[in-house]
Amino acid sequence: MNLLHLFDLSLAARRDAVALEWHGAAFTFGEIERRSNRVAHALRARGLAKGDRLCVYLGNRIELIDIYLACVKLGVIFVPINILYREREIAHITGDAEPRWVITEVELPQLVSDGDDRPIEDLDGDTPAAIIYTSGTTGASKGAVLTHNNFAANAANLSMMWQISERDRFLLALPLFHIHALGNGLHCWLASGCRMRLLERFDHRTALDELRDFRPTLFFGVPTVYVRLLDTPPEAARAIGAAMRLFVSGSAPLPVQVFERFRELFNHTILERYGMTETFMTMSNPYAGERRAGTVGFPLPGISVRIEDGELFVRGPNVFAGYWRRPDATAAAFTDGWFRTGDLATRSDDGYYTLLGRKSDLIISGGFNIYPREIEELLLEQPGVAEAAVVGEPDDVRGEVPVAFIVATDFNPDQLERCCREQLASFKLPRRFVQVESIPRTALGKVQKHLLGPRASRPR
């Protein structure tokens, strides 16, 4: 089987149902099918065939969905590019992927044909569907090759475990160039047949109006989105929460205090889950059961995990096929068939997993292991602290010492030091507290600590 067998549960079986709202217009699943067929014929006329790569540099828009579905139908490998990337980053991806074509807004008028019928191509579950480039926090980004089976297994798991159905109203405001919106959002929409409203982006200035107008039952967000939603007036938050069935958070750790404040304001407990580009979704807090703050729940069905020397290893149908044209990197990423995530984790006695941060972020000071997230969580509990990131600074005596970068409305380093000294072991105490205007993050809100490292080493 391939992804089209999954998508036809909506594209064919629900062809007359409203599928998508975009810029005030509504489109049925049948119209989505015909639109993508016409784009597929246009791509084929241009010479694209199974196995070719197509780079797409577009923000959220209906044409991006048309192009992705056209690629799936032709067996063309879809390669999305982060629209925040600039010339150097784009050149790396296009040089590595060697696409047959790169589509930007300028090329969209060329995606026209008269063919409404679906093109036929020989595809199976192992056929590559997309190459998604990692964020490159440890060097040049690598292309993760994701197959039809990978996407399908993930969509089936989430649709079942999160009870997503055609009755849902799904508001999607995350960028489709990222695995979160593409792999989870787009595929759960097509697998379930729910009604989706697509936004160009999450804009905190208009988010409240969108939520009140559309009245979604399903919403995927990242921690920065939920922090913004904490500004919602209580009466409006309760009304939004009354219509909502499920809020999901991922792509970065959700601070415990945000989890608790959101529950009080919206009367909803956010479901936090864990995944990465190379593995799709690996773990999730339960839909029916305790959604435990600070944890990512349990492994999803069919997925095996283990912890070895503190690092999380994963195996299952969700794990990618390897890095594009990087056999060395692929070999290094696996141990006896298990993918090394690079994430540190612990498991509670009753099976809940908690992430401690990236293995590369671990600070070893005087022989003691320091997990930055523990310090960050404490700092975020302090009045006036909006953001916190802890990184290691070279030290001649201890090897490394922690340094805390703080975004705060009321910056009081002496108070922060007293707090840490009272509640943490002495070796975990940050050497310095540095006030910054912002913490560098990816488009999905993941902290880029490698960009803070050089700052930590500068004399002050």
Side-chain angles (χ1 to χ4, degrees):
M1 297 183 73
N2 59 63
L3 275 172
L4 294 177
H5 295 103
L6 184 69
F7 295 166
D8 276 343
L9 296 174
S10 299
L11 297 178
R14 293 178 53 78
R15 63 172 60 89
D16 296 325
V18 174
L20 177 68
E21 293 185 19
W22 168 249
H23 273 207
F27 302 85
T28 66
F29 283 109
E31 288 173 311
I32 297 296
E33 164 73 1
R34 291 188 293 275
R35 288 176 62 97
S36 57
N37 287 346
R38 290 193 287 269
V39 172
H41 285 292
L43 294 178
R44 181 173 278 179
R46 193 178 176 89
L48 277 90
K50 181 180 177 181
D52 287 337
R53 277 78 59 206
L54 177 67
C55 284
V56 179
Y57 184 72
L58 292 171
N60 282 7
R61 54 193 303 155
I62 190 173
E63 291 88 351
L64 193 151
I65 295 175
D66 298 335
I67 294 166
Y68 175 69
L69 288 173
C71 287
V72 168
K73 292 171 180 180
L74 294 176
V76 170
I77 302 174
F78 181 77
V79 186
I81 300 176
N82 187 328
I83 58 169
L84 299 181
Y85 283 178
R86 294 299 174 254
E87 185 175 349
R88 180 183 178 88
E89 298 154 312
I90 296 169
H92 167 69
I93 292 176
T94 55
D96 189 63
E98 294 186 326
R100 176 63 68 95
W101 196 19
V102 179
I103 294 179
T104 68
E105 286 189 27
V106 175
E107 285 75 30
L108 290 180
Q110 302 178 44
L111 299 177
V112 177
S113 78
D114 296 326
D116 282 354
D117 60 307
R118 179 182 291 184
I120 303 301
E121 187 59 64
D122 183 24
L123 309 171
D124 61 29
D126 294 323
T127 300
I131 297 174
I132 298 185
Y133 280 78
T134 61
S135 56
T137 57
T138 56
S141 60
K142 302 183 291 291
V145 180
L146 307 173
T147 67
H148 282 240
N149 276 343
N150 293 150
F151 279 104
N154 184 68
N157 255 347
L158 300 188
S159 296
M160 174 179 65
M161 298 307 295
W162 296 348
Q163 295 290 285
I164 303 172
S165 75
E166 72 278 359
R167 295 183 298 276
D168 276 309
R169 296 172 62 83
F170 177 34
L171 183 63
L172 183 60
L174 298 172
L176 286 168
F177 58 71
H178 192 274
I179 192 66
H180 191 158
L182 179 69
N184 298 350
L186 205 67
H187 286 72
C188 286
W189 163 58
L190 289 167
S192 68
C194 66
R195 182 173 183 146
M196 180 174 77
R197 176 180 288 188
L198 179 68
L199 304 182
E200 290 184 21
R201 66 184 68 84
F202 177 82
D203 187 335
H204 69 279
R205 297 167 299 183
T206 59
L208 188 57
D209 290 336
E210 294 286 358
L211 286 162
R212 287 191 290 203
D213 177 65
F214 185 59
R215 294 180 59 82
T217 63
L218 180 66
F219 182 80
F220 294 170
V222 297
T224 51
V225 165
Y226 289 111
V227 170
R228 288 288 195 178
L229 289 176
L230 292 177
D231 294 331
T232 305
E235 185 176 339
R238 289 286 173 162
I240 292 167
M244 188 67 69
R245 184 180 64 80
L246 179 64
F247 288 101
V248 180
S249 180
S251 294
L254 181 69
V256 172
Q257 71 272 21
V258 175
F259 178 93
E260 299 292 355
R261 287 177 57 198
F262 191 91
R263 179 162 54 190
E264 293 173 3
L265 187 60
F266 284 84
N267 196 30
H268 263 273
T269 303
I270 296 171
L271 186 152
E272 189 170 9
R273 83 314 180 268
Y274 162 71
M276 56 195 306
T277 302
E278 292 91 338
T279 67
F280 291 85
M281 296 307 99
T282 298
M283 289 188 267
S284 171
N285 269 273
Y287 178 74
E290 181 191 359
R291 300 174 193 170
R292 189 172 298 175
T295 78
V296 291
F298 309 94
L300 289 163
I303 298 173
S304 301
V305 302
R306 74 183 191 196
I307 297 175
E308 187 173 311
D309 294 328
E311 182 180 1
L312 191 68
F313 287 64
V314 178
R315 185 175 64 186
N318 56 312
V319 178
F320 75 134
Y323 293 112
W324 174 254
R325 292 178 175 172
R326 292 287 301 274
D328 54 338
T330 300
F334 288 86
T335 299
D336 298 327
W338 291 80
F339 176 69
R340 308 171 60 109
T341 67
D343 286 318
L344 298 170
T346 59
R347 181 184 181 276
S348 69
D349 291 339
D350 57 350
Y352 282 81
Y353 284 79
T354 299
L355 300 179
L356 303 176
R358 296 291 293 167
K359 188 175 182 180
S360 58
D361 293 338
L362 177 68
I363 301 169
I364 303 177
S365 184
F368 291 102
N369 287 353
I370 300 174
Y371 300 98
R373 186 177 177 184
E374 180 185 10
I375 306 172
E376 292 160 358
E377 288 281 359
L378 175 59
L379 292 171
L380 287 169
E381 294 173 4
Q382 308 313 306
V385 175
E387 297 182 76
V390 175
V391 300
E393 175 184 80
D395 182 80
D396 291 339
V397 176
R398 304 191 65 81
E400 286 183 297
V401 291
V403 173
F405 291 87
I406 305 292
V407 177
T409 55
D410 180 18
F411 182 64
N412 188 332
D414 293 334
Q415 176 61 33
L416 294 176
E417 181 178 347
R418 282 195 298 272
C419 168
C420 290
R421 195 178 294 279
E422 291 171 359
Q423 301 190 53
L424 297 173
S426 59
F427 65 87
K428 299 178 184 178
L429 182 67
R431 174 69 59 90
R432 289 183 290 115
F433 297 88
V434 182
Q435 185 177 22
V436 293
E437 292 184 1
S438 64
I439 301 292
R441 296 178 182 271
T442 67
L444 267 289
K446 190 173 296 184
V447 173
Q448 295 177 299
K449 290 191 175 182
H450 65 294
L451 297 180
L452 286 171
R455 299 190 200 177
S457 300
R458 295 175 190 161
R460 296 182 183 274

